[in-house]
Amino acid sequence: AIIYGLSITIALSPIGEGLLRLKEGINPICTQEDSDYLLPIFEEVYEEAKAQKPSLNSRIQLFISESMCVNAFAIGRKTIAVTRGAICTFDAEQLKGILAHEFGHIAHGDTKALLIHVIGNGIFSIILSAMELCRKTVQFILGIFSAKNVLVACVFFISWLIGILIDI
């Protein structure tokens, strides 16, 4: 329970949001052309969203994914991403609608569940796998030292190796 609580805490922190941005391959807007086109659209929708929901985080940022899939998504409490495919496909009014939808996800806390599911459970799984590896290694070492002959030691080694490969 403590380990799971720790993994959820990390997932809901800025670290978790950063890890999910990294996993999804999204980056800050870096070209002047993208900035000049997207930021006024983003700011207009952001202001309207804050007027509708004053408790909305005041530090939400827009990011870009270079994927040509037509998509947009929100992550955590302060990340909205638009794919290159969406930017190339939709006009400014359609992008406003898509961004408004993503602000709605953030405003209603939908994106926290994503962080818990992907990052929290991922960290928890990694920790459990590391613990299982340690347990198997200790079991292997104890088996080798308690073996009466080389054949039994070889069987312990092969059993340990197969267990590790299955886990991987």
mmCIF file of all heavy atoms in Angstrom, residues 37 41 86-87 89-96:
data_model
loop_
_atom_site.group_PDB
_atom_site.id
_atom_site.type_symbol
_atom_site.label_atom_id
_atom_site.label_comp_id
_atom_site.label_asym_id
_atom_site.label_seq_id
_atom_site.Cartn_x
_atom_site.Cartn_y
_atom_site.Cartn_z
ATOM 1 N N TYR A 37 0.593 31.334 -34.932
ATOM 2 C CA TYR A 37 -0.706 30.786 -35.326
ATOM 3 C C TYR A 37 -1.472 30.212 -34.132
ATOM 4 O O TYR A 37 -2.651 30.510 -33.930
ATOM 5 C CB TYR A 37 -0.518 29.709 -36.396
ATOM 6 C CG TYR A 37 -1.811 29.042 -36.822
ATOM 7 C CD1 TYR A 37 -2.834 29.771 -37.423
ATOM 8 C CD2 TYR A 37 -2.008 27.688 -36.606
ATOM 9 C CE1 TYR A 37 -4.023 29.167 -37.800
ATOM 10 C CE2 TYR A 37 -3.193 27.075 -36.982
ATOM 11 C CZ TYR A 37 -4.200 27.815 -37.573
ATOM 12 O OH TYR A 37 -5.384 27.212 -37.946
ATOM 13 N N ILE A 41 -4.981 31.521 -30.690
ATOM 14 C CA ILE A 41 -6.140 30.616 -30.632
ATOM 15 C C ILE A 41 -6.242 30.016 -29.234
ATOM 16 O O ILE A 41 -7.301 30.019 -28.603
ATOM 17 C CB ILE A 41 -6.009 29.500 -31.695
ATOM 18 C CG1 ILE A 41 -6.067 30.094 -33.099
ATOM 19 C CG2 ILE A 41 -7.074 28.430 -31.503
ATOM 20 C CD1 ILE A 41 -5.694 29.114 -34.202
ATOM 21 N N ALA A 86 -3.503 17.498 -36.642
ATOM 22 C CA ALA A 86 -4.660 18.340 -36.334
ATOM 23 C C ALA A 86 -4.426 19.772 -36.801
ATOM 24 O O ALA A 86 -5.336 20.422 -37.348
ATOM 25 C CB ALA A 86 -4.966 18.300 -34.839
ATOM 26 N N ILE A 87 -3.214 20.266 -36.603
ATOM 27 C CA ILE A 87 -2.884 21.630 -37.018
ATOM 28 C C ILE A 87 -3.024 21.770 -38.533
ATOM 29 O O ILE A 87 -3.536 22.777 -39.032
ATOM 30 C CB ILE A 87 -1.459 22.011 -36.561
ATOM 31 C CG1 ILE A 87 -1.394 22.039 -35.033
ATOM 32 C CG2 ILE A 87 -1.031 23.343 -37.149
ATOM 33 C CD1 ILE A 87 0.023 22.092 -34.471
ATOM 34 N N THR A 89 -4.880 19.853 -40.488
ATOM 35 C CA THR A 89 -6.205 19.452 -40.965
ATOM 36 C C THR A 89 -7.290 20.480 -40.654
ATOM 37 O O THR A 89 -8.148 20.755 -41.482
ATOM 38 C CB THR A 89 -6.603 18.091 -40.348
ATOM 39 O OG1 THR A 89 -5.619 17.128 -40.709
ATOM 40 C CG2 THR A 89 -7.970 17.649 -40.823
ATOM 41 N N PHE A 90 -7.254 21.037 -39.449
ATOM 42 C CA PHE A 90 -8.348 21.893 -38.988
ATOM 43 C C PHE A 90 -8.036 23.366 -39.161
ATOM 44 O O PHE A 90 -6.884 23.786 -39.068
ATOM 45 C CB PHE A 90 -8.652 21.619 -37.509
ATOM 46 C CG PHE A 90 -9.121 20.219 -37.243
ATOM 47 C CD1 PHE A 90 -8.468 19.420 -36.325
ATOM 48 C CD2 PHE A 90 -10.221 19.689 -37.911
ATOM 49 C CE1 PHE A 90 -8.893 18.132 -36.066
ATOM 50 C CE2 PHE A 90 -10.657 18.402 -37.664
ATOM 51 C CZ PHE A 90 -9.994 17.621 -36.739
ATOM 52 N N ASP A 91 -9.091 24.144 -39.367
ATOM 53 C CA ASP A 91 -8.917 25.598 -39.411
ATOM 54 C C ASP A 91 -8.957 26.136 -37.977
ATOM 55 O O ASP A 91 -9.153 25.380 -37.016
ATOM 56 C CB ASP A 91 -9.965 26.263 -40.302
ATOM 57 C CG ASP A 91 -11.391 26.108 -39.796
ATOM 58 O OD1 ASP A 91 -11.606 25.933 -38.570
ATOM 59 O OD2 ASP A 91 -12.326 26.168 -40.626
ATOM 60 N N ALA A 92 -8.798 27.444 -37.827
ATOM 61 C CA ALA A 92 -8.703 28.052 -36.496
ATOM 62 C C ALA A 92 -9.951 27.811 -35.654
ATOM 63 O O ALA A 92 -9.850 27.523 -34.454
ATOM 64 C CB ALA A 92 -8.431 29.550 -36.633
ATOM 65 N N GLU A 93 -11.121 27.903 -36.257
ATOM 66 C CA GLU A 93 -12.365 27.692 -35.494
ATOM 67 C C GLU A 93 -12.487 26.248 -35.015
ATOM 68 O O GLU A 93 -12.937 26.003 -33.899
ATOM 69 C CB GLU A 93 -13.584 28.090 -36.337
ATOM 70 C CG GLU A 93 -13.718 29.574 -36.569
ATOM 71 C CD GLU A 93 -13.791 30.372 -35.264
ATOM 72 O OE1 GLU A 93 -14.596 30.018 -34.371
ATOM 73 O OE2 GLU A 93 -13.030 31.347 -35.128
ATOM 74 N N GLN A 94 -12.095 25.316 -35.846
ATOM 75 C CA GLN A 94 -12.144 23.911 -35.436
ATOM 76 C C GLN A 94 -11.123 23.632 -34.329
ATOM 77 O O GLN A 94 -11.416 22.893 -33.387
ATOM 78 C CB GLN A 94 -11.896 22.998 -36.645
ATOM 79 C CG GLN A 94 -13.038 23.029 -37.644
ATOM 80 C CD GLN A 94 -12.682 22.366 -38.957
ATOM 81 O OE1 GLN A 94 -11.575 22.530 -39.468
ATOM 82 N NE2 GLN A 94 -13.630 21.616 -39.509
ATOM 83 N N LEU A 95 -9.953 24.239 -34.429
ATOM 84 C CA LEU A 95 -8.948 24.090 -33.372
ATOM 85 C C LEU A 95 -9.456 24.669 -32.049
ATOM 86 O O LEU A 95 -9.202 24.101 -30.980
ATOM 87 C CB LEU A 95 -7.629 24.745 -33.767
ATOM 88 C CG LEU A 95 -6.781 23.987 -34.783
ATOM 89 C CD1 LEU A 95 -5.587 24.830 -35.222
ATOM 90 C CD2 LEU A 95 -6.308 22.658 -34.231
ATOM 91 N N LYS A 96 -10.194 25.763 -32.120
ATOM 92 C CA LYS A 96 -10.778 26.333 -30.898
ATOM 93 C C LYS A 96 -11.717 25.324 -30.239
ATOM 94 O O LYS A 96 -11.702 25.159 -29.017
ATOM 95 C CB LYS A 96 -11.532 27.623 -31.204
ATOM 96 C CG LYS A 96 -10.650 28.793 -31.517
ATOM 97 C CD LYS A 96 -11.483 30.015 -31.862
ATOM 98 C CE LYS A 96 -10.611 31.147 -32.370
ATOM 99 N NZ LYS A 96 -11.415 32.315 -32.785
#
